[in-house]
């Protein structure tokens, strides 16, 4: 048997519905549902950055009658997680979801997937440098469609970066829709709507590099 990678083992706490990771997942899924309910478009695009096994988006769409109107691209570097996401999408009959094994830190990975009406950045900002978080947020107009929704997460361990992150979103043309910082846990979930003007994708650019 092939040993699990760090990023495959990272998903194990999902088995406990009371774990912080499971609680975070439910919050993210609630906002995905809200986004779907608020958008009447016949065709929507979604991109999940460092998607892991795709539990947030696949978990929602698997039970939706209108899942086929969402054309999604999941970007994930770990081969085992890519295989798990592909299996989950296939089992749910989600033919409009593509799972790419790709480095989401490179803008070239977004060619053909952006601009997105929904951008998921779950589990990203806590694994890259603060400078890369700022650079990534500033570059999001390149991958967001007009009126796009971005759902993001970040730990609030000291020093808490989330106040700065929320300001960087504001500076990049986003309006905050929600921010959850539950008591007793370190995670936070933010939701922002893009009110700025989309910019052309510069595929030679770099967003971030994972620290581990």
């Amino acid at each position: 048997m092939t040993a699990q990678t760090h990023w495959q083992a990272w998903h194990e706490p999902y088995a406990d519905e009371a774990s912080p990771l499971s609680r975070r997942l439910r919050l993210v899924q609630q906002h995905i549902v809200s986004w779907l309910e608020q958008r009447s478009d016949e065709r929507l695009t979604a991109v999940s950055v460092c998607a892991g096994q795709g539990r947030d988006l696949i978990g929602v769409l698997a039970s939706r009658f209108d899942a086929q109107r969402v054309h999604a691209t999941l970007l994930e570097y770990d081969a085992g997680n890519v295989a798990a996401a592909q299996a989950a999408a296939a089992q749910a009959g989600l033919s409009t979801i593509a799972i790419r094994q790709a480095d989401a830190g490179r803008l070239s990975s977004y060619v053909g997937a952006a601009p997105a009406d929904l951008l998921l950045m779950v589990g990203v900002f806590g694994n890259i440098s603060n400078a890369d978080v700022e650079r990534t947020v500033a570059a999001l107009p390149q991958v967001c469609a007009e009126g796009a929704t971005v759902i993001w997460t970040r730990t609030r361990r000291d020093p808490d970066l989330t106040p700065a992150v929320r300001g960087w979103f504001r500076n990049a043309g986003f309006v905050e829709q929600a921010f959850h910082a539950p008591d007793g846990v370190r995670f936070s979930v933010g939701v922002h709507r893009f009110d700025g003007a989309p910019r052309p994708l510069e595929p030679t650019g770099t967003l971030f590099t994972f620290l581990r």
Side-chain angles (χ1 to χ4, degrees), residues 193-204:
R193 185 187 71 245
F194 183 45
D195 273 6
R199 301 203 311 263
L201 183 66
E202 298 177 4
T204 59

Side-chain angles (χ1 to χ4, degrees), residues 36-37 39 42 44 61 63-70:
L36 279 165
E37 297 296 335
R39 297 291 298 256
E42 293 184 1
L44 292 162
L61 295 180
S63 61
R64 296 280 305 191
F65 72 92
D66 58 349
Q68 296 302 309
R69 70 189 178 112
V70 179

Side-chain angles (χ1 to χ4, degrees), residues 87-99:
Q91 183 175 6
L94 299 174
S95 60
T96 58
I97 288 186
I99 296 97

Side-chain angles (χ1 to χ4, degrees), residues 119-137:
L119 185 67
L120 298 177
M121 303 206 71
V122 178
V124 178
F125 291 162
N127 293 290
I128 63 179
S129 71
N130 294 353
D132 276 2
V133 176
E134 183 176 11
R135 176 168 55 190
T136 297
V137 173

Side-chain angles (χ1 to χ4, degrees), residues 7 24 29 38 42 56 76 79 87 92 116 154 176 185 208:
W7 294 114
R24 191 186 77 176
Q29 288 178 327
Q38 293 167 12
E42 293 184 1
D56 39 28
E76 170 58 34
R154 165 75 193 204
E176 187 169 278
V185 292
F208 57 80

Side-chain angles (χ1 to χ4, degrees), residues 30-165:
Q30 288 169 17
H31 282 289
I32 295 173
V33 171
S34 295
W35 170 76
L36 279 165
E37 297 296 335
Q38 293 167 12
R39 297 291 298 256
S40 60
D41 314 55
E42 293 184 1
R43 189 183 193 280
L44 292 162
T45 57
V47 173
S48 182
V49 179
C50 303
Q53 297 175 3
R55 297 185 184 218
D56 39 28
L57 188 59
I58 293 173
V60 169
L61 295 180
S63 61
R64 296 280 305 191
F65 72 92
D66 58 349
Q68 296 302 309
R69 70 189 178 112
V70 179
H71 294 254
T73 302
L74 279 57
L75 302 175
E76 170 58 34
Y77 192 75
D78 184 275
N81 285 337
V82 168
Q86 290 172 335
Q91 183 175 6
L94 299 174
S95 60
T96 58
I97 288 186
I99 296 97
R100 294 183 187 173
Q101 186 175 3
D103 181 355
R106 298 181 178 276
L107 281 167
S108 58
S109 298
Y110 299 81
V111 173
D117 298 305
L118 174 68
L119 185 67
L120 298 177
M121 303 206 71
V122 178
V124 178
F125 291 162
N127 293 290
I128 63 179
S129 71
N130 294 353
D132 276 2
V133 176
E134 183 176 11
R135 176 168 55 190
T136 297
V137 173
L140 292 186
Q142 295 185 50
V143 296
C144 286
E146 184 176 356
T149 293
V150 178
I151 303 174
W152 59 275
T153 64
R154 165 75 193 204
T155 180
R156 289 177 287 122
R157 63 176 177 265
D158 291 333
D160 184 2
L161 190 67
T162 59
V165 175

